[in-house]
């Protein structure tokens, strides 16, 4: 059948349905949100002609695709103007010739989708394409798929989709669903012919197999499932009934605008979404309930024609975009060419047997009786985190494992010195919907909600039907709400290797004590950190100044913050002019300390107020011929301030004389502390990847959460713990060494309002030292070519320009030239312009990458700072 004939038949069905419902006041609204789709065609040397050219695809969009999406977004009885329509915008007259055959999978395929969009619109002469869709028509390239699209969102009005040797209206319509943020309608198939079952060897998730709507892989005009309608905003939360116990619910048909449109119910760790589908023309199912699972299968239980799916990361607990349809009747699915039977029914039961459904159906709805086994099982005992780990007022003090098996926790009670009282149950901060809790945030308990004081504490949980858990183990707690007391009071406690150690005596807390002090720079990098309880230490190099925002936290996370500046001076003993017999004083005093054997003098030139740093022995201190201080004898082998002298602004020679004494040196320091503000410590962000031993080892080399102030989040990127994405992608080069990677960890540092377009570190372990060496050589070669050609050509043949800059003042501590590649370059221009600092370093079989990118460029001080961070990464790399 021709596309035109199909279109006529579909319009006939649509208008017939409209006519039939006008008589009962259910005419759909057709006020249209009209969206534009532009079409281009690509080819490459030796490529065959595609199944349909750009003009044919444009015609299909204006007819069949347009009619389909009008129908999917038009609900009977809707009083809102929410219908979406598509029309063709511009069609590129000439093909875009690619430099090589289009990639089907992996990073290269994703890169093509990203690069083709700006090039296509450049050739179409359109500068603002933020609210336009692009269809790219491609010839046969050996891909297993017919269409591919970027996953968008319900409010998105743009997207890119690739047609692979296809002009099918169904493929275009399906891929536009992905642009709306919709996943697939899949199928739960059990080999034992059961309708439902636990995921595993017997019951599999068949990708695309839930062919009840267009998000499967069968060309159908039936309505979108109500889960996808909800994801698109066509159903309000109030139209979904969450059921906890036995109940009767009146369900409206899936294509109606008003009424209760779906039921959500949990059964243990399984989650079910139930809708009612009435009989409409052109569909293969009977009127009845359609039931979907929202809890995803493990990857091992996914059946898919796409090989990439078998290598994908496991689904998380966050609510996904896909659903898995249950076979409630005679439905059969092997592939898109072998489909039959109905998947709906008027009765159903979950695989546990705990929940059953029965429905009485009519043309305008279904009365659904839900019968659920009564929940009489108490919740688990709350997993209260040990008091020693309580570090933030805003932290949850409950660990995993306290979730109710069948319903939900709604409240808590506490025993405080044996007295039972109600505790405040709070929604989880930053909660994201999960497949077990898609609508209502689970309840938890925060440290901030405990009463102040010292007492014994235990708690228990209460579920939604009133079952109560046993009490947790009692713990002794000290709850301190007071902020630390912070003043500008520092004491010198160490001097060695041209560095002063100052203990911050002015940081105190009478309750839980001081547990953490950080000094962070303007970007939020931690430049000093001390976790010594009640004795935080700030270190400053002689002749240098440490400046930044000081953050002082007590052990419960109450905090203060203020600008801090610390300047230090030290003239070490071994820098003096000496008479007599001297030798190094030993490790107890640090580098630079010297020991007099017999009678000796040491002369140093200083100015201002200084502390005389001594060890054992006694000495006199003189300026010119005048004694200005006497250092009493000591037998204790540790640093002490023997005397404090002030010789004025002019430099003068200070002489120390004595017998058998240890001289560490002369030092001075100055500190300033600005006005203070409250700053509670935020809870530590959990990184689930660090449950993997390999990831724990790799995490030692790259960015750590402790490298940044608490406003930042440092977590693995998507696929950052896999080998799916490339590592050495500089200048889009070819790196054969990528196949020799065996482990990878890439994390991104992000915060709201960050000035960085990208801030990341990457760690890769190669199969051998030789493989890592080969990778470094490939990187050098690609860089040289990119510098020579001033960029590289993307798949469309367009030059992506690179303007390389010279890095100067490379700090000590980075890897040697044969084990590093440092890059400083401007990439592209205009809205796509950005500046990259890339520091690639190798040691043995390990590679670390540090990537810093922004759109404004870097000044010399910023470059120097990130070079210093590169030296830190090299230090970690060296172990």
């Amino acid at each position: 059948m021709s596309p035109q004939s199909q279109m006529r038949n579909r319009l006939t069905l649509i208008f017939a349905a409209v006519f039939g419902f006008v008589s009962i006041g259910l005419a759909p609204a057709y006020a249209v949100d009209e969206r534009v789709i532009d079409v281009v065609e690509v080819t490459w040397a030796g490529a065959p002609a595609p199944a349909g050219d750009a003009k044919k695809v444009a015609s299909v969009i204006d007819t069949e695709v347009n009619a389909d999406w009008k129908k999917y977004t038009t609900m009977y009885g809707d009083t809102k103007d929410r219908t979406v329509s598509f029309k063709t915008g511009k069609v590129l007259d000439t093909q875009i010739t690619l430099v090589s055959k289009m990639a089907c999978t992996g990073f290269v395929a994703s890169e093509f989708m990203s690069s083709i969009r700006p090039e296509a619109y450049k050739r179409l002469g359109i500068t603002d394409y933020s609210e336009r869709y692009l269809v790219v028509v491609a010839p046969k390239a050996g891909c297993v798929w017919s269409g591919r699209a970027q996953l968008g969102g319900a409010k998105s009005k743009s997207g890119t989709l690739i047609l692979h040797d296809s002009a099918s209206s169904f493929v275009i319509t399906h891929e536009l669903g992905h642009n709306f943020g919709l996943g697939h309608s899949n199928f739960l198939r059990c080999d034992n012919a059961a309708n439902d079952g636990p995921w595993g060897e017997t019951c599999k998730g068949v990708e695309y197999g839930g062919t009840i709507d267009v998000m499967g892989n069968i060309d159908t005009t039936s309505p979108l499932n109500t889960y996808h309608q909800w994801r698109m905003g066509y159903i309000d939360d109030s139209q979904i009934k969450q059921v906890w116990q036995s109940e009767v619910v009146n369900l409206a048909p899936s294509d109606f605008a008003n009424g209760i449109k779906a039921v959500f119910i949990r059964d243990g760790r399984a989650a079910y979404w139930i809708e009612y589908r009435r009989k409409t023309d052109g569909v293969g199912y009977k009127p009845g309930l359609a039931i979907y699972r929202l809890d995803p299968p493990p990857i091992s239980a996914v059946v898919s024609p796409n090989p990439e799916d078998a290598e994908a990361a496991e689904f998380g607990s966050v609510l996904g975009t896909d659903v898995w349809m249950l076979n409630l009747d005679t439905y059969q699915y092997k592939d898109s060419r072998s489909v039959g039977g109905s998947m709906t029914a008027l009765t159903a039961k979950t695989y546990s047997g705990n929940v059953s459904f029965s429905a009485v159906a009519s043309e305008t709805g279904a009365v659904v009786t839900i019968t659920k086994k009564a929940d009489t099982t108490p919740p688990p005992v709350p997993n209260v985190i040990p008091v020693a780990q309580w570090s933030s007022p805003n932290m949850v003090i409950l660990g995993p494992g306290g979730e109710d098996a069948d319903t939900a926790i709604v409240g808590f009670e506490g025993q405080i010195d044996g007295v039972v009282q109600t505790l405040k149950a709070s929604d989880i901060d930053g909660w994201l919907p999960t497949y077990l809790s898609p609508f209502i945030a689970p309840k938890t308990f925060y440290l901030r909600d405990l009463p102040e004081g010292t007492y014994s504490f235990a708690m228990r949980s209460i579920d939604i039907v009133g079952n109560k858990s046993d009490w947790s183990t009692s713990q002794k707690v000290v709850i301190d709400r007071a902020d630390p007391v912070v003043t500008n009071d520092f004491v010198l406690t160490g001097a060695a290797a041209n560095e002063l150690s100052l203990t911050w005596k002015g940081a105190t807390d009478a309750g839980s004590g001081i547990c953490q002090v950080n000094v962070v720079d303007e970007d939020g990098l931690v430049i000093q950190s001390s976790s010594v309880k009640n004795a935080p230490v700030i270190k400053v190099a002689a002749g240098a100044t440490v400046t930044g925002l000081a953050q002082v936290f007590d052990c419960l996370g109450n905090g203060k913050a203020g600008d801090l500046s610390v300047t230090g001076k030290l003239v070490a003993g071994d820098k003096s002019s000496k008479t007599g017999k001297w030798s190094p004083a030993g490790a107890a005093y640090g580098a630079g300390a010297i020991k007099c054997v017999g009678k000796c003098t040491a002369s140093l030139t200083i100015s201002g107020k200084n502390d005389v740093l001594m060890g054992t022995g006694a000495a006199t201190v003189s300026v010119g011929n005048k004694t200005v201080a006497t250092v009493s004898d000591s037998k204790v082998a540790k640093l002490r301030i023997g005397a404090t002298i002030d010789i004025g602004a002019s430099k003068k020679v200070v002489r120390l004389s004595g017998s058998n004494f240890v001289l560490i040196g002369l030092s001075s320091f100055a500190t300033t502390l600005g006005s203070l503000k409250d700053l509670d410590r935020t809870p530590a962000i959990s990184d689930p990847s660090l449950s993997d031993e390999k990831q724990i080892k790799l995490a030692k080399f790259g960015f750590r959460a402790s490298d940044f102030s608490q406003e930042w989040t440092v977590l693995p990127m998507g696929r950052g713990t896999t080998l799916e994405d490339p590592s050495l992608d500089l200048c889009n080069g070819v790196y054969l060494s990528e196949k020799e990677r065996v482990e990878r960890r890439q994390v991104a540092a992000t915060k709201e309002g960050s000035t960085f377009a990208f801030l990341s570190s990457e760690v890769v372990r190669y199969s051998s030292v030789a493989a890592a060496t080969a990778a470094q050589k490939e990187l050098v070669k690609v860089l040289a070519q990119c510098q020579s050609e001033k960029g590289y050509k993307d798949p469309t043949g367009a030059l992506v320009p690179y303007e390389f800059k010279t890095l100067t003042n490379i700090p000590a501590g980075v890897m040697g030239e044969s084990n590093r590649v440092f890059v400083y370059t401007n990439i592209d221009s205009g809205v796509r312009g950005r500046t990259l600092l890339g520091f690639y370093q190798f040691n043995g079989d390990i590679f670390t990458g540090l990537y810093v990118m922004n759109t404004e460029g870097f000044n010399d001080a910023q470059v120097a700072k990130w070079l210093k961070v590169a030296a830190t990464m090299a230090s970690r790399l060296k172990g």
Side-chain angles (χ1 to χ4, degrees):
M1 185 184 295
S2 71
Q4 290 79 10
S5 298
Q6 289 179 344
M7 179 61 197
R8 283 194 293 271
N9 287 346
R10 289 186 181 184
L11 285 177
T12 300
L13 293 175
I14 292 171
F15 291 138
V18 172
F19 178 81
F21 278 91
V22 168
S23 61
I24 56 174
L26 292 173
Y30 275 119
V32 175
D33 170 7
E34 193 169 61
R35 305 187 183 193
V36 176
I37 304 179
D38 305 300
V39 185
V40 300
E41 189 177 337
V42 299
T43 189
W44 51 86
D53 61 17
K55 289 183 179 179
K56 180 179 179 180
V57 168
S59 175
V60 170
I61 291 168
D62 287 331
T63 53
E64 299 175 60
V65 173
N66 179 40
D68 282 345
W69 274 105
K70 275 187 175 180
K71 181 175 182 181
Y72 298 149
T73 55
T74 301
M75 303 293 170
Y76 289 102
D78 198 351
T79 58
K80 302 174 184 177
D81 297 337
R82 299 188 294 177
T83 300
V84 175
S85 170
F86 288 100
K87 70 173 183 179
T88 300
K90 284 192 173 185
V91 179
L92 191 63
D93 293 332
T94 57
Q95 294 176 319
I96 299 175
T97 301
L98 307 182
V99 295
S100 60
K101 185 174 74 172
M102 181 184 71
C104 298
T105 61
F107 178 79
V108 180
S110 299
E111 281 289 286
F112 169 68
M113 188 173 286
S114 297
S115 63
I116 190 64
R117 187 173 175 87
E119 179 64 21
Y121 279 108
K122 178 181 177 182
R123 300 194 187 196
L124 287 167
I126 298 173
T127 55
D128 183 3
Y129 45 88
S130 59
E131 293 194 357
R132 301 177 78 98
Y133 295 82
L134 178 69
V135 171
V136 180
V137 182
K140 192 173 184 64
C143 307
V144 299
W145 46 268
S146 298
R148 193 166 193 169
Q150 296 167 320
L151 187 65
K155 296 182 179 180
S156 171
K157 292 190 175 182
S158 69
T160 301
L161 62 94
I162 312 294
L163 290 181
H164 171 237
D165 196 36
S166 174
S168 163
S169 67
F170 163 72
V171 173
I172 300 170
T173 302
H174 174 101
E175 299 305 327
L176 284 170
H178 291 319
N179 288 154
F180 281 118
L182 307 185
H184 288 142
S185 293
N186 305 310
F187 176 45
L188 190 156
R189 183 181 68 200
C190 297
D191 295 339
N192 60 0
N195 294 336
D196 186 21
W199 296 116
E201 287 297 319
T202 301
C203 295
K204 306 283 188 179
V206 181
E207 193 76 2
Y208 313 105
T211 53
I212 200 166
D213 59 33
V214 73
M215 297 316 293
N217 68 345
I218 295 295
D219 192 352
T220 176
T221 59
S222 65
L224 294 174
N225 66 67
T226 54
Y227 180 74
H228 285 154
Q229 291 178 26
W230 174 63
R231 300 283 304 200
M232 289 181 65
Y234 283 81
I235 297 176
D236 296 332
D237 286 0
S238 62
Q239 294 181 273
I240 302 157
K241 178 68 174 177
Q242 181 161 3
V243 173
W244 296 105
Q245 303 179 75
S246 297
E247 192 167 347
V248 176
V249 179
N250 291 313
L251 271 182
S254 59
D255 56 340
F256 279 29
N258 301 311
I260 300 298
K261 294 288 294 291
V263 170
F264 172 78
I265 191 167
R266 282 179 49 187
D267 185 8
R269 303 299 295 177
Y272 296 86
W273 185 281
I274 302 96
E275 67 183 21
Y276 170 61
R277 294 215 158 210
R278 65 183 183 88
K279 180 67 174 178
T280 59
D281 293 333
V283 300
Y285 51 79
K286 300 180 295 187
L289 302 179
I291 299 182
Y292 312 93
R293 287 270 291 274
L294 300 189
D295 56 299
I299 294 302
S300 61
V302 172
V303 177
S304 174
N306 184 358
E308 285 186 302
D309 289 337
E311 304 298 325
E314 296 290 345
F315 293 98
S317 62
V318 172
L319 188 65
T321 59
D322 287 13
V323 293
W324 289 265
M325 185 194 78
L326 272 61
N327 178 13
L328 302 182
D329 195 49
T330 59
Y331 179 68
Q332 292 183 347
Y333 177 89
K334 292 183 179 178
D335 55 41
S336 60
R337 295 175 297 278
S338 180
V339 180
S342 175
M343 68 286 288
T344 56
L346 295 178
T347 60
K349 183 178 289 187
T350 62
Y351 71 83
S352 71
N354 292 333
V355 186
S356 60
F357 309 90
S358 63
V360 177
S362 70
E363 184 66 10
T364 57
V367 179
V368 183
T369 300
I370 302 162
T371 304
K372 186 175 183 183
K373 182 180 178 181
D375 175 17
T376 59
T377 304
V381 176
N383 179 16
V384 181
I385 294 171
V387 170
Q389 299 175 27
W390 295 5
S391 60
S392 167
N394 297 314
M395 72 176 289
V396 171
I397 65 168
L398 298 179
E403 302 82 8
D404 191 68
D406 196 45
T407 57
I409 302 298
V410 295
F412 303 103
E413 289 180 337
Q415 272 189 351
I416 297 177
D417 282 340
V419 178
V420 177
Q421 60 181 262
T422 300
L423 300 175
K424 179 182 178 181
S426 300
D427 292 346
I428 296 175
D429 288 345
W431 167 78
L432 294 174
T434 66
Y435 58 79
L436 291 179
S437 299
F439 308 109
I440 302 171
K443 298 299 183 182
T444 192
F445 189 74
Y446 287 91
L447 178 58
R448 64 187 177 224
D449 293 324
L450 278 176
E452 194 165 15
T454 301
Y455 47 83
S456 62
F457 171 72
M459 67 183 299
R460 66 183 177 189
S461 302
I462 306 169
D463 71 17
I464 200 167
V465 296
N467 299 310
K468 294 183 179 182
S469 73
D470 290 335
W471 292 101
S472 66
T473 301
S474 182
Q475 298 187 72
K476 189 75 170 181
V477 303
V478 178
I479 304 301
D480 164 29
R481 303 281 181 228
D483 290 326
V485 175
V486 182
T487 63
N488 186 26
D489 183 6
F490 290 82
V491 175
L492 179 72
T493 52
N498 211 32
E499 183 179 72
L500 300 180
S501 296
L502 308 177
T503 297
W504 197 342
K505 292 293 187 183
T508 60
D509 186 81
S512 58
I514 299 295
C515 270
Q516 184 71 45
V517 170
N518 297 325
V519 181
V520 303
D521 71 6
E522 67 280 1
D523 287 322
L525 278 175
V526 174
I527 55 178
Q528 291 268 340
S529 181
S530 177
S531 57
V532 180
K533 187 169 183 179
N534 293 326
V537 173
I538 302 295
K539 295 184 177 181
V540 58
T545 300
V546 173
T547 58
L549 180 70
Q551 301 170 333
V552 181
F553 301 105
D554 69 16
C555 296
L556 286 178
N558 306 301
K560 288 286 188 179
D563 292 327
L564 176 69
S565 175
V566 180
T567 301
K569 295 180 181 179
L570 171 66
V571 182
D574 65 355
K575 303 300 181 185
S576 63
S577 299
K578 298 175 282 292
T579 65
K581 185 178 180 181
W582 294 88
S583 62
Y589 297 105
I594 54 177
K595 181 177 181 180
C596 163
V597 180
K599 188 174 182 180
C600 310
T601 66
S603 300
L604 304 101
T605 303
I606 60 167
S607 62
K609 186 177 181 180
N610 279 257
D611 292 323
V612 179
L613 308 181
M614 293 276 291
T616 57
T620 58
V621 184
S622 59
V623 177
N625 294 321
K626 183 180 179 182
T627 298
V628 295
T630 300
V631 180
S632 60
D633 189 23
S634 174
K635 306 298 183 184
V636 181
K638 69 175 184 180
L639 178 144
R640 59 179 172 133
I641 298 175
T644 300
I645 59 174
D646 189 350
I647 61 172
S650 300
K651 286 188 175 182
K652 296 179 181 178
V653 176
V654 175
R655 182 181 298 106
L656 286 90
S657 305
S659 300
N660 303 314
F661 68 96
V662 171
L663 173 62
I664 298 171
L666 298 178
S667 73
S668 65
F669 66 88
T671 61
T672 60
L673 179 65
S675 58
L676 299 169
K677 61 180 181 181
D678 293 342
L679 179 69
D680 287 345
R681 178 189 270 179
T682 57
I685 296 176
S686 174
D687 181 351
S689 72
L690 295 180
S691 60
D692 183 327
E693 288 186 9
K694 293 179 180 178
Q695 288 296 310
I696 292 172
K697 292 178 181 178
L698 294 180
K700 296 177 182 178
F701 298 105
F703 278 149
R704 306 166 184 170
S706 58
D707 292 332
F708 294 86
S709 60
Q710 61 182 17
E711 296 81 15
W712 288 84
T713 298
V714 180
L715 287 174
M717 297 172 57
R719 302 187 300 274
T721 59
T722 73
L723 300 177
E724 295 178 44
D725 287 349
S727 296
L728 304 181
D729 56 352
L730 178 67
C731 291
N732 203 36
V734 175
Y735 299 94
L736 299 178
S737 59
E738 297 289 86
K739 298 178 181 179
E740 297 298 322
R741 299 176 301 163
V742 293
E743 296 169 14
R744 173 173 172 264
R745 177 178 179 81
Q746 184 166 14
V747 299
T750 59
K751 77 164 184 175
E752 186 175 351
S754 170
T755 59
F756 299 102
F758 188 58
L759 183 56
S760 172
S761 72
E762 183 173 19
V763 184
V764 172
R765 185 184 301 278
Y766 289 91
S767 61
S768 65
V769 174
T773 301
Q776 194 267 347
K777 290 180 178 179
E778 285 180 332
L779 196 60
V780 170
K781 182 178 179 181
V782 170
L783 176 59
Q785 181 177 347
C786 196
Q787 289 172 328
S788 173
E789 298 178 358
K790 298 182 179 180
Y792 73 89
K793 290 184 178 179
D794 70 13
T796 69
L799 180 72
V800 179
Y802 276 56
E803 178 191 352
F804 290 92
K805 299 173 178 288
T806 301
L807 284 168
T808 58
N809 300 320
I810 305 296
V814 300
M815 299 304 296
E817 288 192 32
S818 62
N819 290 301
R820 73 173 191 247
V821 175
F822 284 2
V823 178
Y824 182 17
T825 183
N826 293 329
I827 305 174
D828 222 322
S829 59
V831 295
R832 291 172 61 85
R834 64 266 193 207
T835 301
L836 168 69
L837 285 168
F839 304 105
Y840 306 79
Q841 301 186 84
F842 297 79
N843 186 34
D845 62 352
I846 299 287
F847 151 76
T848 62
L850 168 62
Y851 315 120
V852 190
M853 183 180 290
N854 69 16
T855 57
E856 305 296 328
F858 301 98
N859 59 38
D860 291 345
Q862 290 170 325
V863 172
K865 176 174 73 175
W866 290 108
L867 278 167
K868 186 176 179 181
V869 176
T872 299
M873 295 296 177
S875 175
R876 294 174 182 176
L877 192 57
K878 296 171 186 176

